[in-house]
Amino acid sequence: MSEKIEHVRCLIIGSGPAGYTAAIYASRSDLKPVVYQGLQPGGQLTITTEVDNFPGYPKGIMGSEMMDEIKQQAERFGAEIRFGVVTEVDFSNRPFIVKADDGKTLSAETVIIATGACAKWLGIESEKKFMGMGVSGCATCDGFFYRGQDVAIVGGGDTAVEEATYLAKLCKKVYMIHRRNELRACKTMQHKVENTPNIEMVWDSVPEEVLGDDSGVTGVRVRNVKSGESKDIPVTGFFVAIGHKPNTEVFEGKLELDKFKYIKTKPGTTRTSVTGVFAAGDVQDPHFRQAITAAGTGCMAAIEAERFLTS
Ligand code: NDP
């Protein structure tokens, strides 16, 4: 018995701000998009607390509520949003063949990939316990809450330095905790740290425990990996900046990825190495990683998909 294949004009993989915004635009262009939400419906914003930097919400909004509203907006124009994970793609011919874990096989004239990225975490129990109560993975998003206070950031790459210098403008003091005695960040970024008087390096050290109480984070216990000694640093904010991992496993070998496995797009567009496949949001963006930039590229991807189909 031959397998029944469902044909779609536009398949969207992923349901963060990029995927849902692509769904709004694609449905309004009559592409009748089908969205597979992936493992974390609504994306990374559903695990944050308040979002204060997305335009249009002057009083702020909870991340999960905002994602639900964007989803409803897409459904209002006919996007079909499905709970499920894409497990296999074949981009060698058009229409593309995609399989999902709901047992469906789809043939898609265009595909928009918006599977996002995951922040890496230290994996200690107290980090989880105080998530959103002083523990954050994004200084640009949450730094504002710690104005005039002392905070710590862990990591030694470009992201950690960028976030530490951003925090230093808002906070009284920033402790930068790094597991070695030299930064991985490029020299220019290293000079930024050296030239910022309120950043104090805590070298050769790893966070053992995030300290806190009912009010949230009160400090961090760090262990010096050379001496084995531990000490407590009093802070109210604890930022983790040890890298991100794009969600691209299923696309390996099917599309061009960069050396960190982010999807390569043609600058200024969402076009990938396969004509008719577009990528939007954090899955192709190691630099900005904001809900608004993800939404922006989601919009671009849907417009590009529509133009591709009608050209
Ligand atoms: P990186 O992988 O470059 O750096 C991660 C940092 O976290 C490293 O210093 C690493 O330590 C540390 N680390 C990793 N795991 C742990 C752990 N479990 N415990 C403690 N520390 C840990 O990630 P980034 O996000 O900083 O950067 C990713 C890419 O994006 C890079 O290519 C970077 O250059 C680029 N980027 C560029 C920017 C720019 O040009 N403006 C801005 C931001 C990023 P160790 O050094 O010991 O391995």
Side-chain angles (χ1 to χ4, degrees), residues 169-181:
K169 290 184 199 135
L170 298 168
C171 303
K172 192 155 88 192
K173 181 145 190 174
V174 179
Y175 294 94
M176 190 165 182
I177 303 163
H178 184 37
R179 63 185 177 184
R180 295 185 293 131
N181 66 356

Side-chain angles (χ1 to χ4, degrees), residues 32-96:
K32 303 197 169 24
V34 168
V35 180
Y36 272 86
Q37 288 181 308
L39 277 179
Q40 190 175 48
Q44 293 182 86
L45 278 186
T46 58
I47 53 162
T48 59
T49 50
E50 198 149 69
V51 178
D52 268 333
N53 56 6
F54 201 93
Y57 296 101
K59 298 190 174 89
I61 183 167
M62 297 305 282
S64 52
E65 198 185 331
M66 185 173 101
M67 292 319 301
D68 201 47
E69 289 194 354
I70 307 183
K71 174 174 177 267
Q72 287 177 38
Q73 196 173 347
E75 284 173 329
R76 186 178 137 213
F77 300 111
E80 188 183 331
I81 297 174
R82 295 181 186 168
F83 183 68
V85 175
V86 163
T87 53
E88 214 180 306
V89 297
D90 180 354
F91 292 155
S92 53
N93 291 298
R94 272 191 67 232
F96 309 115

Side-chain angles (χ1 to χ4, degrees), residues 120-123 154-163 176-186 189 192 205-207 240-245 258-260 262 285-289:
K120 291 185 193 160
W121 296 99
L122 297 166
V154 54
D158 285 327
T159 303
V161 170
E162 208 166 67
E163 300 216 326
M176 190 165 182
I177 303 163
H178 184 37
R179 63 185 177 184
R180 295 185 293 131
N181 66 356
E182 66 174 344
L183 293 172
R184 173 176 298 277
C186 67
M189 300 291 264
K192 274 191 177 181
S205 296
V206 290
V240 180
I242 61 172
H244 285 77
K245 188 176 160 296
D258 72 11
K259 63 179 174 176
F260 301 107
Y262 284 86
D285 170 22
H287 298 291
F288 301 106
R289 301 191 193 107

Side-chain angles (χ1 to χ4, degrees), residues 121 134-144 146 151-155 163 167 171 237-241:
W121 296 99
V135 172
S136 166
C138 177
T140 320
C141 321
D142 298 327
F144 185 78
Y146 303 95
V151 297
I153 184 160
V154 54
E163 300 216 326
L167 289 168
C171 303
F238 180 73
F239 292 84
V240 180

